[in-house]
Structures are given as structure tokens and as C-alpha cells.
Amino acid sequence: MIKKSVFSITLLSLPFVSSLNAFAEQSQSQIDKGDTAWMIVSTALVMLMTVPGLALFYGGLVKKKDVLNTIAMSFVSYCIVSFLWIVYGYSLSFSDDIGGIIGYLDKAFLKGVKIESLQGTIPEVLFSMFQLTFAAITVALVSGAYIERIRFSAWILFSILWMSFVYVPVAHWVWGGGFLAKMGALDFAGGTVVHVNAGIAALVGVLMLGKRKNTMLIPNNLTLVSIGTALLWFGWFGFNAGSAASSNAVAAQAFINTNTAAAVAALAWMLTEWIITKKPTVLGIASGIIAGLVAITPAAGFVNITGSVIIGAIAGVICYFSVTAMKPKLGYDDALDVFGIHGLAGIMGAILTGVFADPSVNEAGKGLLYGNAKQVLIQLAAVGVTMLYTAIMTCVIFLIIRLFMKIRVHEEDEIIGLDSSAHGEKAYNL
């Protein structure tokens, strides 16, 4: 009798269990409101990094006669990428893979990306917008190396070509299922895709552009630099923690790692400068903050707090010497030290991710200190491939632009300043 009752109850419960299973499966494919809210905020934070963050940071560093031109380069980069990313950038970066190299155009103009389309637990259109902000700031970062000498029209053409033929393929290789992703390369938030990419483009570009007439770095307004630095630091929480694409523990770890590395790098730069020059400068502290933020970017969601401290400390010291010793010795005119800070800190951070990646923080990453020496080799390969490709393509892009227009401004325009000669405006009407 008892067996019959149990059997009857089991039969009666089957529809209920089936409905629970169906509900669970449906829930897994539904939008997560918490994740979506966090990613909307993160996307806005990353946008803030380009305009006004980077625009003010770069604008305060240049000579007062070139402030508006420098700011305009960041603004126009963001506008160009915002349009082209929707047209084809997102599709080529994040649609199905073609031979590990590039995506298809099946999502051009966001075709097929419907309101109900999901990327994980968030709307795909939001994921696309988040990635758009990464592409925009990468292009804008390069401008800091070229300022005070490149024609505004040449910069616009460079932005279009470089985003299309450099950023988009590299983003696909690492984040879109391309060959570096399949190799197992770790890049949580853009050490390779953003900073190595931008840094190498900066170095190659300045070598092709040649030196400015006056290569001295004379910041016109360190208050603007400080405000820009603060906005970049603030926005970087969305940049790194948002790259978890979810409101979870990994995002929280990336958040604290980001803050810690930036603070430690700033202290390391300040103390190094203080010992050598006997004066701790505001510009040095700001530069150290940026170096730490860059270095922790590829590692943010993979390393523990100890790893973030070590990465930040190394970044502060190495980037100080790259700017004060290496650049003068080699003689290249990287105006705002895009290669010396973003390039070198990005390279260093990407490699050290292979050392400090802690599987207890993120099971997707296991580095040298946790028994996986191979990860360091993978990171080296990813960095090397990116550097080589970016260097060649940036050179080719400059040669293509030269077929259509002069890249450098006239000497008299450079002396007058690009605010007046290119835009007919002045930053300070005092």
C-alpha cells in the first residue's frame, strides 16, 4: 500500500518537476537585472574615460596653443568609433569566427541584434555598447603621441583606418573567439587589446611623423591634468570591473585590484622621483596612477591582492625610468608618453598576468606561481604577435594616408599653434 502511494505521488509530481526544470532553463536564458544595471553603469564609466577624462588629461599636458586641438582629437575619435562600431566594428569583432582572424558581417548595423538578444545575462545591444567604449578610448589614446604636429584631417582618416584594420582584428583575436583566445591568452580588460595596441601604434607613428619643433613637455594646466587623472581612475572601475560582464565576485576583485595597483604605482613613481630629483611632482603622481591602472588592466580579474600590489609597484618604477631615461636616450618624440606608459605598462601587465593569475580568484586563469609556466609563454606570444601586427599595420596606414594628403601641419602652423591654425579658436581668452 505504501509503495503504491509513493508511486502515485511520484507520478503526480512529475509534471511539477518538469515545469520546475523548464522554468530553470528559461531563467538561465533570461536577462539578469543586476548584471544589466551594473553593465549600464560600467559602460557609462568607460565612456567618461574618453570624454571628458582623457580629453582633459591630454589637454592639460600640452602647450596652451594646442589645448583645443588635443581635446578635439579625443572627441572626434569617440564620435567616429561610435558610428563605425555599429556599422561593422562590432560584427567583425564579435560575430562567428573566420579562421581565427576576423568575424563575419552578419551583424553589420546590429542586424539580428534584437531587443531580446542576450550576451550571457545582459542584452547584447548593451554588450555591444560596452565594447564600443573600449574601441573608442584605444583610438583616442594614440592621439597623445601625435599631438602638436598631425593635421586634424589626417587624424580623422587615421582613426577610421586604424580602428578598422588594427583594433577590430586584435579585439577579435583576444575577445571574439580568435586564435589568441583559442591559444589561451589572458586579457581581462584590455592590456593587449587596448594598451599594447595603442602604445605600439604611438611609437611607430611618432617615428614616421618626426619630431616637433619644440619637444619640451610644458603642461599648460596641471589642474586639468589632475581632474582628467581622477576621471580616468574613476572610469577605470567600469573598464576593469565591468569586464566581468556580471555583478559578481570577480568584478569585485577586479575593482579592488584596480584601485590598489593605481595607488601603489603612484606611490612608487612619487618615491622614485623624490629620491632622484628631490621633488615629488603632481605630474609624477598622476603619471604613476595611469601606469598602475594600465598594468593591472589585463590582470584585474585574474590576480589576488598581492599580485595587484606587485604589479602596481613594478609599473610605477619601470614607467618612471621609461619616460625620464629611455625616451631621451632613444630620441623619439612621443609627446605624452603613450608608449612609455601605456605601451610598456601594458606589455608588463600582460606578461605578469601569466605569472600571478590565481585560479582561486578566477578559474579561467592559472599562472606560473600556481603551477602553469606555459601561461607565461602564451602571454609572451600574444604580446609579440600584437606588437608585430600593430607595428606593420600602423606603418602601412601612414603610407596610405600620405597618398591622399600631407600628414604633418605646416611649420608656421605648428609654431602658431593648432588651436588657431586648425580650429580658429583659443583655449584661454585672457
Side-chain angles (χ1 to χ4, degrees):
M1 186 70 179
I2 295 175
K3 289 182 179 179
K4 288 183 178 180
S5 299
V6 170
F7 180 71
S8 300
I9 293 171
T10 302
L11 286 176
L12 290 171
S13 67
L14 282 176
F16 178 69
V17 172
S18 298
S19 64
L20 281 179
N21 290 333
F23 178 76
E25 291 175 3
Q26 185 180 13
S27 298
Q28 289 175 0
S29 62
Q30 287 181 344
I31 186 173
D32 185 291
K33 292 183 178 179
D35 292 346
T36 300
W38 166 237
M39 292 306 297
I40 289 173
V41 171
S42 294
T43 302
L45 287 172
V46 183
M47 185 271 181
L48 182 80
M49 292 174 67
T50 306
V51 285
L54 188 69
L56 292 179
F57 179 72
Y58 278 177
L61 285 171
V62 298
K63 300 176 183 66
K64 65 180 181 180
K65 61 185 180 180
D66 296 302
V67 176
L68 295 179
N69 178 257
T70 301
I71 291 174
M73 289 169 76
S74 288
F75 271 81
V76 77
S77 299
Y78 188 86
C79 294
I80 288 169
V81 174
S82 292
F83 176 63
L84 296 182
W85 189 254
I86 299 305
V87 177
Y88 57 80
Y90 176 67
S91 185
L92 292 175
S93 299
F94 290 98
S95 65
D96 292 338
D97 179 61
I98 303 176
I101 302 300
I102 199 69
Y104 289 90
L105 283 171
D106 55 327
K107 293 186 179 181
F109 285 97
L110 298 188
K111 180 183 177 182
V113 181
K114 301 178 181 178
I115 191 69
E116 66 271 14
S117 300
L118 296 182
Q119 181 73 27
T121 58
I122 65 173
E124 187 176 4
V125 69
L126 174 57
F127 176 77
S128 174
M129 181 63 196
F130 182 66
Q131 292 297 334
L132 179 158
T133 60
F134 277 67
I137 195 169
T138 308
V139 177
L141 281 172
V142 181
S143 70
Y146 303 167
I147 50 93
E148 300 184 350
R149 75 200 108 155
I150 190 170
R151 287 175 177 267
F152 192 63
S153 54
W155 170 251
I156 289 174
L157 184 54
F158 174 87
S159 298
I160 294 169
L161 295 174
W162 196 84
M163 188 215 86
S164 303
F165 295 103
V166 181
Y167 181 85
V168 165
V170 175
H172 180 77
W173 297 349
V174 179
W175 291 335
F179 74 95
L180 291 181
K182 293 171 183 174
M183 187 192 303
L186 301 177
D187 187 1
F188 191 76
T192 303
V193 177
V194 176
H195 298 292
V196 174
N197 219 356
I200 297 301
L203 180 61
V204 172
V206 299
L207 292 175
M208 298 195 72
L209 275 170
K211 294 183 179 181
R212 293 166 293 162
K213 300 303 177 184
N214 181 357
T215 60
M216 291 185 66
L217 176 63
I218 309 173
N220 76 91
N221 193 326
L222 281 173
T223 302
L224 285 185
V225 174
S226 301
I227 293 171
T229 302
L231 289 171
L232 284 166
W233 194 346
F234 179 62
W236 226 291
F237 294 133
F239 198 79
N240 284 359
S243 291
S246 180
S247 181
N248 58 20
V250 173
Q253 185 68 45
F255 200 113
I256 195 169
N257 284 343
T258 301
N259 191 71
T260 302
V264 171
L267 294 174
W269 185 303
M270 181 189 73
L271 291 172
T272 304
E273 182 181 47
W274 205 340
I275 292 168
I276 293 174
T277 69
K278 311 304 180 186
K279 292 185 184 296
T281 65
V282 173
L283 179 57
I285 294 170
S287 299
I289 289 169
I290 302 302
L293 291 168
V294 171
I296 197 61
T297 292
F302 292 118
V303 303
N304 56 38
I305 199 70
T306 302
S308 70
V309 170
I310 296 172
I311 289 172
I314 295 173
V317 175
I318 285 182
C319 290
Y320 171 79
F321 285 109
S322 75
V323 168
T324 60
M326 184 184 76
K327 185 173 79 167
K329 186 173 182 179
L330 297 179
Y332 60 89
D333 183 20
D334 180 357
L336 302 184
D337 298 306
V338 179
F339 174 71
I341 295 179
H342 292 274
L344 289 183
I347 291 168
M348 184 207 74
I351 295 170
L352 291 181
T353 300
V355 176
F356 293 106
D358 182 351
S360 69
V361 171
N362 189 333
E363 61 183 13
K366 184 178 181 181
L368 173 65
L369 296 183
Y370 301 89
N372 182 22
K374 182 181 177 182
Q375 191 62 53
V376 177
L377 299 177
I378 293 173
Q379 297 301 107
L380 285 167
V383 168
V385 167
T386 301
M387 291 174 64
L388 181 62
Y389 177 78
T390 303
I392 292 172
M393 289 304 300
T394 301
C395 181
V396 170
I397 288 169
F398 264 87
L399 294 175
I400 290 172
I401 294 174
R402 283 179 179 172
L403 296 175
F404 299 96
M405 64 179 71
K406 290 183 178 180
I407 299 179
R408 278 197 70 140
V409 299
H410 293 298
E411 183 176 342
E412 57 268 29
D413 291 334
E414 185 176 339
I415 294 170
I416 294 169
L418 301 188
D419 288 2
S420 297
S421 62
H423 305 284
E425 298 173 297
K426 291 184 179 179
Y428 305 105
N429 291 298
L430 303 176

